[in-house]
Amino acid sequence: MGPQVVRIEMKAAVAYSGGKDSTRAVYECIKAGDEVCCLLNVIPDTPESYLFHYPNARWTKLQAEALNLPLLSREVGGANEAEELNAFTELLAEAAAKYSVNCLYTGAVASQYQRRRFEEAASSVGLKCINPLWGMSGEQILKDLLRLGFKTIIVGVSAAGLGPEWLGRVIDEAAIEDLKKVNRRYGVNLSFEGGEAETFVLDAPIFTKSIEITSSEKRWDGYVGFFIIKEARLVEKRSVKEVG
């Protein structure tokens, strides 16, 4: 027998938006046996952000509480790529100093731009970048949400075929079939990597509590729309699934 390879556990920060892919990245980090030390969130004040989710970013604090993880965040103004990246790099440096993290997990799936920017930011502070969802098909990611027990809603749409009726809609089997029809007709990316839609996770197998939205509103300008969470709270779960 050859020498046994011992895997070194990583101490990770996770780029976290509150959406399906970044929450899945937390799940995959735990499943891999790495330690999630903190979540990193840049909060833009415009939907024109280059890298980060705009609607409901402030509610990531509830998700962090449900995950029992500290959240490091920065607010940025305007659609300025350099400012967003600087803010994120500062968060990475803070995570490295505060929690001794040595890697960054992200929810990047297909965007070379997003992946490259995250990898450059991580490298600049001496961290490894891990993208566990990279290359997965959008349909597979959506089906995995149901298989793993994620409750996810759509909170932003900005593509042909996605109207106001999608705002606040839970991603279930019927929604996935409808999204596949929209994909065939309009070419909408099922992983939403082109910004076609944004999501928010209300429950997951790694949450200790679920999020209940108690007040919300839809905003629609004829082409682009947002589901805005106005009030929300944590509620007890009936059962908590284990990662495995």
Side-chain angles (χ1 to χ4, degrees):
M1 292 178 64
Q4 185 175 5
V5 177
V6 178
R7 185 182 185 280
I8 299 175
E9 179 184 283
M10 306 294 285
K11 294 173 69 70
V14 180
Y16 195 72
S17 67
K20 60 180 175 58
D21 298 331
S22 61
T23 304
R24 175 75 181 276
V26 177
Y27 177 95
E28 292 298 330
C29 182
I30 296 170
K31 184 179 178 182
D34 292 329
E35 179 186 356
V36 184
C37 298
C38 60
L39 307 175
L40 310 180
N41 179 234
V42 172
I43 303 174
D45 66 357
T46 169
E48 303 303 320
S49 170
Y50 290 90
L51 281 171
F52 304 100
H53 282 201
Y54 164 69
N56 307 305
R58 69 190 183 98
W59 292 105
T60 54
K61 63 185 180 182
L62 273 188
Q63 293 166 313
E65 190 176 340
L67 287 162
N68 285 328
L69 290 170
L71 174 69
L72 306 180
S73 63
R74 290 276 193 286
E75 294 186 10
V76 294
N80 185 305
E81 178 188 9
E83 187 176 341
E84 290 183 356
L85 286 171
N86 285 340
F88 187 71
T89 303
E90 288 174 2
L91 289 176
L92 280 173
E94 182 180 346
K98 203 169 189 178
Y99 302 105
S100 300
V101 303
N102 53 18
C103 75
L104 169 69
Y105 267 74
T106 86
V109 176
S111 168
Q112 290 284 0
Y113 168 84
Q114 185 185 69
R115 178 179 177 176
R116 186 168 61 250
R117 292 295 181 268
F118 281 135
E119 288 178 345
E120 289 170 353
S123 178
S124 72
V125 292
L127 305 183
K128 180 180 180 180
C129 188
I130 299 173
N131 308 293
L133 308 184
W134 186 256
M136 290 181 65
S137 74
E139 183 176 350
Q140 185 62 55
I141 287 173
L142 294 177
K143 288 181 176 179
D144 282 352
L145 294 177
L146 307 188
R147 178 178 62 84
L148 297 173
F150 282 67
K151 183 179 181 182
T152 309
I153 60 172
I154 293 176
V155 294
V157 294
S158 57
L162 297 177
E165 70 279 2
W166 282 95
L167 296 173
R169 184 170 177 180
V170 173
I171 297 179
D172 55 15
E173 290 184 6
I176 292 173
E177 290 305 309
D178 287 344
L179 284 168
K180 287 164 64 177
K181 293 174 185 175
V182 173
N183 165 262
R184 288 192 291 269
R185 183 171 181 182
Y186 297 99
V188 168
N189 188 317
L190 290 178
S191 64
F192 306 148
E193 278 286 84
E196 296 92 341
E198 294 186 353
T199 59
F200 188 87
V201 176
L202 298 175
D203 198 6
I206 48 177
F207 281 18
T208 58
K209 293 184 178 181
S210 302
I211 296 173
E212 179 182 79
I213 298 171
T214 56
S215 178
S216 64
E217 69 172 297
K218 293 182 181 181
R219 298 177 186 172
W220 179 254
D221 71 0
Y223 300 95
V224 175
F226 296 107
F227 179 86
I228 304 298
I229 300 171
K230 300 178 73 174
E231 297 293 338
R233 64 182 181 180
L234 291 175
V235 296
E236 295 295 331
K237 299 176 65 162
R238 292 180 180 176
S239 63
V240 179
K241 295 181 181 179
E242 292 184 358
V243 176

PDB file of all heavy atoms in Angstrom, residues 139-166:
ATOM      1  N   GLU A 139     -29.897  23.258 -14.219  1.00  0.00           N
ATOM      2  CA  GLU A 139     -31.004  22.358 -13.872  1.00  0.00           C
ATOM      3  C   GLU A 139     -30.626  21.473 -12.693  1.00  0.00           C
ATOM      4  O   GLU A 139     -31.435  21.245 -11.788  1.00  0.00           O
ATOM      5  CB  GLU A 139     -31.392  21.500 -15.076  1.00  0.00           C
ATOM      6  CG  GLU A 139     -32.580  20.600 -14.796  1.00  0.00           C
ATOM      7  CD  GLU A 139     -33.029  19.819 -16.031  1.00  0.00           C
ATOM      8  OE1 GLU A 139     -32.538  20.115 -17.147  1.00  0.00           O
ATOM      9  OE2 GLU A 139     -33.867  18.911 -15.865  1.00  0.00           O
ATOM     10  N   GLN A 140     -29.384  20.984 -12.686  1.00  0.00           N
ATOM     11  CA  GLN A 140     -28.943  20.127 -11.584  1.00  0.00           C
ATOM     12  C   GLN A 140     -28.929  20.900 -10.270  1.00  0.00           C
ATOM     13  O   GLN A 140     -29.347  20.385  -9.222  1.00  0.00           O
ATOM     14  CB  GLN A 140     -27.544  19.567 -11.860  1.00  0.00           C
ATOM     15  CG  GLN A 140     -27.076  18.574 -10.817  1.00  0.00           C
ATOM     16  CD  GLN A 140     -27.968  17.343 -10.752  1.00  0.00           C
ATOM     17  OE1 GLN A 140     -28.187  16.686 -11.759  1.00  0.00           O
ATOM     18  NE2 GLN A 140     -28.506  17.041  -9.580  1.00  0.00           N
ATOM     19  N   ILE A 141     -28.473  22.140 -10.321  1.00  0.00           N
ATOM     20  CA  ILE A 141     -28.431  22.959  -9.109  1.00  0.00           C
ATOM     21  C   ILE A 141     -29.836  23.173  -8.568  1.00  0.00           C
ATOM     22  O   ILE A 141     -30.078  23.072  -7.358  1.00  0.00           O
ATOM     23  CB  ILE A 141     -27.736  24.307  -9.400  1.00  0.00           C
ATOM     24  CG1 ILE A 141     -26.225  24.084  -9.555  1.00  0.00           C
ATOM     25  CG2 ILE A 141     -28.004  25.316  -8.286  1.00  0.00           C
ATOM     26  CD1 ILE A 141     -25.464  25.309  -9.997  1.00  0.00           C
ATOM     27  N   LEU A 142     -30.786  23.460  -9.455  1.00  0.00           N
ATOM     28  CA  LEU A 142     -32.161  23.675  -9.011  1.00  0.00           C
ATOM     29  C   LEU A 142     -32.760  22.398  -8.425  1.00  0.00           C
ATOM     30  O   LEU A 142     -33.425  22.433  -7.385  1.00  0.00           O
ATOM     31  CB  LEU A 142     -33.016  24.169 -10.182  1.00  0.00           C
ATOM     32  CG  LEU A 142     -32.674  25.554 -10.737  1.00  0.00           C
ATOM     33  CD1 LEU A 142     -33.569  25.872 -11.938  1.00  0.00           C
ATOM     34  CD2 LEU A 142     -32.811  26.637  -9.678  1.00  0.00           C
ATOM     35  N   LYS A 143     -32.527  21.260  -9.079  1.00  0.00           N
ATOM     36  CA  LYS A 143     -33.055  19.988  -8.568  1.00  0.00           C
ATOM     37  C   LYS A 143     -32.424  19.624  -7.227  1.00  0.00           C
ATOM     38  O   LYS A 143     -33.082  19.073  -6.349  1.00  0.00           O
ATOM     39  CB  LYS A 143     -32.829  18.878  -9.597  1.00  0.00           C
ATOM     40  CG  LYS A 143     -33.732  18.987 -10.816  1.00  0.00           C
ATOM     41  CD  LYS A 143     -33.488  17.846 -11.781  1.00  0.00           C
ATOM     42  CE  LYS A 143     -34.474  17.903 -12.950  1.00  0.00           C
ATOM     43  NZ  LYS A 143     -34.250  16.807 -13.918  1.00  0.00           N
ATOM     44  N   ASP A 144     -31.139  19.970  -7.079  1.00  0.00           N
ATOM     45  CA  ASP A 144     -30.460  19.691  -5.814  1.00  0.00           C
ATOM     46  C   ASP A 144     -31.072  20.473  -4.664  1.00  0.00           C
ATOM     47  O   ASP A 144     -31.066  20.011  -3.517  1.00  0.00           O
ATOM     48  CB  ASP A 144     -28.971  20.041  -5.926  1.00  0.00           C
ATOM     49  CG  ASP A 144     -28.169  18.982  -6.666  1.00  0.00           C
ATOM     50  OD1 ASP A 144     -28.731  17.903  -6.968  1.00  0.00           O
ATOM     51  OD2 ASP A 144     -26.985  19.234  -6.958  1.00  0.00           O
ATOM     52  N   LEU A 145     -31.578  21.672  -4.950  1.00  0.00           N
ATOM     53  CA  LEU A 145     -32.222  22.458  -3.904  1.00  0.00           C
ATOM     54  C   LEU A 145     -33.344  21.659  -3.248  1.00  0.00           C
ATOM     55  O   LEU A 145     -33.471  21.641  -2.023  1.00  0.00           O
ATOM     56  CB  LEU A 145     -32.801  23.754  -4.480  1.00  0.00           C
ATOM     57  CG  LEU A 145     -31.844  24.811  -5.024  1.00  0.00           C
ATOM     58  CD1 LEU A 145     -32.638  25.981  -5.605  1.00  0.00           C
ATOM     59  CD2 LEU A 145     -30.896  25.301  -3.942  1.00  0.00           C
ATOM     60  N   LEU A 146     -34.126  20.990  -4.088  1.00  0.00           N
ATOM     61  CA  LEU A 146     -35.246  20.204  -3.569  1.00  0.00           C
ATOM     62  C   LEU A 146     -34.757  18.923  -2.899  1.00  0.00           C
ATOM     63  O   LEU A 146     -35.228  18.554  -1.823  1.00  0.00           O
ATOM     64  CB  LEU A 146     -36.217  19.866  -4.703  1.00  0.00           C
ATOM     65  CG  LEU A 146     -36.719  21.043  -5.551  1.00  0.00           C
ATOM     66  CD1 LEU A 146     -37.805  20.569  -6.497  1.00  0.00           C
ATOM     67  CD2 LEU A 146     -37.220  22.175  -4.684  1.00  0.00           C
ATOM     68  N   ARG A 147     -33.801  18.275  -3.529  1.00  0.00           N
ATOM     69  CA  ARG A 147     -33.268  17.015  -2.978  1.00  0.00           C
ATOM     70  C   ARG A 147     -32.649  17.215  -1.601  1.00  0.00           C
ATOM     71  O   ARG A 147     -32.791  16.377  -0.700  1.00  0.00           O
ATOM     72  CB  ARG A 147     -32.236  16.426  -3.949  1.00  0.00           C
ATOM     73  CG  ARG A 147     -31.570  15.152  -3.462  1.00  0.00           C
ATOM     74  CD  ARG A 147     -30.594  14.617  -4.494  1.00  0.00           C
ATOM     75  NE  ARG A 147     -29.506  15.547  -4.768  1.00  0.00           N
ATOM     76  CZ  ARG A 147     -28.405  15.638  -4.022  1.00  0.00           C
ATOM     77  NH1 ARG A 147     -28.258  14.881  -2.937  1.00  0.00           N
ATOM     78  NH2 ARG A 147     -27.440  16.482  -4.356  1.00  0.00           N
ATOM     79  N   LEU A 148     -31.979  18.340  -1.421  1.00  0.00           N
ATOM     80  CA  LEU A 148     -31.268  18.596  -0.167  1.00  0.00           C
ATOM     81  C   LEU A 148     -32.139  19.261   0.890  1.00  0.00           C
ATOM     82  O   LEU A 148     -31.743  19.341   2.049  1.00  0.00           O
ATOM     83  CB  LEU A 148     -30.038  19.461  -0.436  1.00  0.00           C
ATOM     84  CG  LEU A 148     -28.961  18.837  -1.331  1.00  0.00           C
ATOM     85  CD1 LEU A 148     -27.878  19.855  -1.651  1.00  0.00           C
ATOM     86  CD2 LEU A 148     -28.365  17.594  -0.668  1.00  0.00           C
ATOM     87  N   GLY A 149     -33.309  19.744   0.488  1.00  0.00           N
ATOM     88  CA  GLY A 149     -34.195  20.351   1.465  1.00  0.00           C
ATOM     89  C   GLY A 149     -34.049  21.853   1.623  1.00  0.00           C
ATOM     90  O   GLY A 149     -34.333  22.405   2.693  1.00  0.00           O
ATOM     91  N   PHE A 150     -33.628  22.539   0.568  1.00  0.00           N
ATOM     92  CA  PHE A 150     -33.554  23.997   0.587  1.00  0.00           C
ATOM     93  C   PHE A 150     -34.929  24.588   0.244  1.00  0.00           C
ATOM     94  O   PHE A 150     -35.603  24.096  -0.666  1.00  0.00           O
ATOM     95  CB  PHE A 150     -32.559  24.505  -0.452  1.00  0.00           C
ATOM     96  CG  PHE A 150     -31.114  24.382  -0.062  1.00  0.00           C
ATOM     97  CD1 PHE A 150     -30.515  23.136   0.088  1.00  0.00           C
ATOM     98  CD2 PHE A 150     -30.341  25.515   0.150  1.00  0.00           C
ATOM     99  CE1 PHE A 150     -29.182  23.013   0.444  1.00  0.00           C
ATOM    100  CE2 PHE A 150     -29.000  25.413   0.492  1.00  0.00           C
ATOM    101  CZ  PHE A 150     -28.417  24.148   0.638  1.00  0.00           C
ATOM    102  N   LYS A 151     -35.338  25.622   0.958  1.00  0.00           N
ATOM    103  CA  LYS A 151     -36.523  26.395   0.583  1.00  0.00           C
ATOM    104  C   LYS A 151     -36.032  27.745   0.080  1.00  0.00           C
ATOM    105  O   LYS A 151     -35.497  28.549   0.848  1.00  0.00           O
ATOM    106  CB  LYS A 151     -37.486  26.574   1.747  1.00  0.00           C
ATOM    107  CG  LYS A 151     -38.759  27.330   1.335  1.00  0.00           C
ATOM    108  CD  LYS A 151     -39.734  27.486   2.488  1.00  0.00           C
ATOM    109  CE  LYS A 151     -40.994  28.233   2.024  1.00  0.00           C
ATOM    110  NZ  LYS A 151     -41.952  28.437   3.152  1.00  0.00           N
ATOM    111  N   THR A 152     -36.226  27.978  -1.203  1.00  0.00           N
ATOM    112  CA  THR A 152     -35.644  29.142  -1.864  1.00  0.00           C
ATOM    113  C   THR A 152     -36.716  29.896  -2.628  1.00  0.00           C
ATOM    114  O   THR A 152     -37.562  29.288  -3.293  1.00  0.00           O
ATOM    115  CB  THR A 152     -34.546  28.685  -2.855  1.00  0.00           C
ATOM    116  OG1 THR A 152     -33.629  27.816  -2.178  1.00  0.00           O
ATOM    117  CG2 THR A 152     -33.789  29.869  -3.424  1.00  0.00           C
ATOM    118  N   ILE A 153     -36.676  31.226  -2.548  1.00  0.00           N
ATOM    119  CA  ILE A 153     -37.609  32.042  -3.319  1.00  0.00           C
ATOM    120  C   ILE A 153     -36.845  32.935  -4.288  1.00  0.00           C
ATOM    121  O   ILE A 153     -35.666  33.238  -4.077  1.00  0.00           O
ATOM    122  CB  ILE A 153     -38.512  32.917  -2.415  1.00  0.00           C
ATOM    123  CG1 ILE A 153     -37.663  33.864  -1.563  1.00  0.00           C
ATOM    124  CG2 ILE A 153     -39.410  32.049  -1.547  1.00  0.00           C
ATOM    125  CD1 ILE A 153     -38.490  34.892  -0.793  1.00  0.00           C
ATOM    126  N   ILE A 154     -37.535  33.334  -5.352  1.00  0.00           N
ATOM    127  CA  ILE A 154     -36.959  34.260  -6.315  1.00  0.00           C
ATOM    128  C   ILE A 154     -37.276  35.684  -5.869  1.00  0.00           C
ATOM    129  O   ILE A 154     -38.431  36.018  -5.613  1.00  0.00           O
ATOM    130  CB  ILE A 154     -37.515  33.977  -7.729  1.00  0.00           C
ATOM    131  CG1 ILE A 154     -37.004  32.612  -8.205  1.00  0.00           C
ATOM    132  CG2 ILE A 154     -37.118  35.081  -8.709  1.00  0.00           C
ATOM    133  CD1 ILE A 154     -37.557  32.160  -9.540  1.00  0.00           C
ATOM    134  N   VAL A 155     -36.234  36.510  -5.739  1.00  0.00           N
ATOM    135  CA  VAL A 155     -36.420  37.864  -5.218  1.00  0.00           C
ATOM    136  C   VAL A 155     -36.039  38.959  -6.217  1.00  0.00           C
ATOM    137  O   VAL A 155     -36.177  40.141  -5.922  1.00  0.00           O
ATOM    138  CB  VAL A 155     -35.638  38.069  -3.902  1.00  0.00           C
ATOM    139  CG1 VAL A 155     -36.203  37.189  -2.803  1.00  0.00           C
ATOM    140  CG2 VAL A 155     -34.142  37.814  -4.096  1.00  0.00           C
ATOM    141  N   GLY A 156     -35.571  38.557  -7.394  1.00  0.00           N
ATOM    142  CA  GLY A 156     -35.253  39.542  -8.418  1.00  0.00           C
ATOM    143  C   GLY A 156     -35.303  38.899  -9.785  1.00  0.00           C
ATOM    144  O   GLY A 156     -34.863  37.759  -9.947  1.00  0.00           O
ATOM    145  N   VAL A 157     -35.873  39.597 -10.776  1.00  0.00           N
ATOM    146  CA  VAL A 157     -35.897  39.097 -12.153  1.00  0.00           C
ATOM    147  C   VAL A 157     -35.543  40.222 -13.117  1.00  0.00           C
ATOM    148  O   VAL A 157     -35.930  41.380 -12.910  1.00  0.00           O
ATOM    149  CB  VAL A 157     -37.273  38.497 -12.539  1.00  0.00           C
ATOM    150  CG1 VAL A 157     -37.557  37.242 -11.733  1.00  0.00           C
ATOM    151  CG2 VAL A 157     -38.398  39.497 -12.339  1.00  0.00           C
ATOM    152  N   SER A 158     -34.791  39.883 -14.142  1.00  0.00           N
ATOM    153  CA  SER A 158     -34.414  40.892 -15.139  1.00  0.00           C
ATOM    154  C   SER A 158     -34.082  40.226 -16.464  1.00  0.00           C
ATOM    155  O   SER A 158     -33.008  40.406 -17.024  1.00  0.00           O
ATOM    156  CB  SER A 158     -33.209  41.714 -14.653  1.00  0.00           C
ATOM    157  OG  SER A 158     -32.108  40.871 -14.370  1.00  0.00           O
ATOM    158  N   ALA A 159     -35.030  39.408 -16.954  1.00  0.00           N
ATOM    159  CA  ALA A 159     -34.820  38.718 -18.225  1.00  0.00           C
ATOM    160  C   ALA A 159     -36.162  38.452 -18.895  1.00  0.00           C
ATOM    161  O   ALA A 159     -37.191  38.314 -18.224  1.00  0.00           O
ATOM    162  CB  ALA A 159     -34.086  37.393 -18.004  1.00  0.00           C
ATOM    163  N   ALA A 160     -36.141  38.376 -20.215  1.00  0.00           N
ATOM    164  CA  ALA A 160     -37.353  38.060 -20.966  1.00  0.00           C
ATOM    165  C   ALA A 160     -37.898  36.721 -20.511  1.00  0.00           C
ATOM    166  O   ALA A 160     -37.151  35.761 -20.313  1.00  0.00           O
ATOM    167  CB  ALA A 160     -37.036  38.010 -22.464  1.00  0.00           C
ATOM    168  N   GLY A 161     -39.219  36.665 -20.310  1.00  0.00           N
ATOM    169  CA  GLY A 161     -39.861  35.436 -19.875  1.00  0.00           C
ATOM    170  C   GLY A 161     -40.037  35.344 -18.376  1.00  0.00           C
ATOM    171  O   GLY A 161     -40.742  34.452 -17.891  1.00  0.00           O
ATOM    172  N   LEU A 162     -39.397  36.251 -17.652  1.00  0.00           N
ATOM    173  CA  LEU A 162     -39.534  36.270 -16.192  1.00  0.00           C
ATOM    174  C   LEU A 162     -40.243  37.556 -15.786  1.00  0.00           C
ATOM    175  O   LEU A 162     -39.637  38.625 -15.703  1.00  0.00           O
ATOM    176  CB  LEU A 162     -38.155  36.180 -15.519  1.00  0.00           C
ATOM    177  CG  LEU A 162     -37.359  34.902 -15.777  1.00  0.00           C
ATOM    178  CD1 LEU A 162     -35.985  34.985 -15.117  1.00  0.00           C
ATOM    179  CD2 LEU A 162     -38.119  33.676 -15.280  1.00  0.00           C
ATOM    180  N   GLY A 163     -41.552  37.445 -15.558  1.00  0.00           N
ATOM    181  CA  GLY A 163     -42.365  38.601 -15.215  1.00  0.00           C
ATOM    182  C   GLY A 163     -42.596  38.721 -13.724  1.00  0.00           C
ATOM    183  O   GLY A 163     -42.027  37.972 -12.927  1.00  0.00           O
ATOM    184  N   PRO A 164     -43.464  39.664 -13.318  1.00  0.00           N
ATOM    185  CA  PRO A 164     -43.698  39.901 -11.890  1.00  0.00           C
ATOM    186  C   PRO A 164     -44.287  38.710 -11.155  1.00  0.00           C
ATOM    187  O   PRO A 164     -44.186  38.629  -9.929  1.00  0.00           O
ATOM    188  CB  PRO A 164     -44.666  41.092 -11.889  1.00  0.00           C
ATOM    189  CG  PRO A 164     -45.312  41.089 -13.245  1.00  0.00           C
ATOM    190  CD  PRO A 164     -44.251  40.591 -14.174  1.00  0.00           C
ATOM    191  N   GLU A 165     -44.897  37.783 -11.907  1.00  0.00           N
ATOM    192  CA  GLU A 165     -45.476  36.597 -11.256  1.00  0.00           C
ATOM    193  C   GLU A 165     -44.402  35.702 -10.627  1.00  0.00           C
ATOM    194  O   GLU A 165     -44.704  34.866  -9.770  1.00  0.00           O
ATOM    195  CB  GLU A 165     -46.296  35.788 -12.261  1.00  0.00           C
ATOM    196  CG  GLU A 165     -45.503  35.065 -13.332  1.00  0.00           C
ATOM    197  CD  GLU A 165     -45.085  35.954 -14.501  1.00  0.00           C
ATOM    198  OE1 GLU A 165     -45.376  37.166 -14.478  1.00  0.00           O
ATOM    199  OE2 GLU A 165     -44.468  35.416 -15.447  1.00  0.00           O
ATOM    200  N   TRP A 166     -43.147  35.900 -11.025  1.00  0.00           N
ATOM    201  CA  TRP A 166     -42.059  35.108 -10.459  1.00  0.00           C
ATOM    202  C   TRP A 166     -41.557  35.663  -9.132  1.00  0.00           C
ATOM    203  O   TRP A 166     -40.879  34.969  -8.381  1.00  0.00           O
ATOM    204  CB  TRP A 166     -40.891  35.034 -11.455  1.00  0.00           C
ATOM    205  CG  TRP A 166     -41.128  34.047 -12.556  1.00  0.00           C
ATOM    206  CD1 TRP A 166     -41.627  34.311 -13.798  1.00  0.00           C
ATOM    207  CD2 TRP A 166     -40.899  32.647 -12.510  1.00  0.00           C
ATOM    208  NE1 TRP A 166     -41.729  33.151 -14.527  1.00  0.00           N
ATOM    209  CE2 TRP A 166     -41.274  32.115 -13.752  1.00  0.00           C
ATOM    210  CE3 TRP A 166     -40.399  31.785 -11.531  1.00  0.00           C
ATOM    211  CZ2 TRP A 166     -41.174  30.763 -14.045  1.00  0.00           C
ATOM    212  CZ3 TRP A 166     -40.292  30.434 -11.819  1.00  0.00           C
ATOM    213  CH2 TRP A 166     -40.677  29.932 -13.068  1.00  0.00           C
TER     214      TRP A 166
END
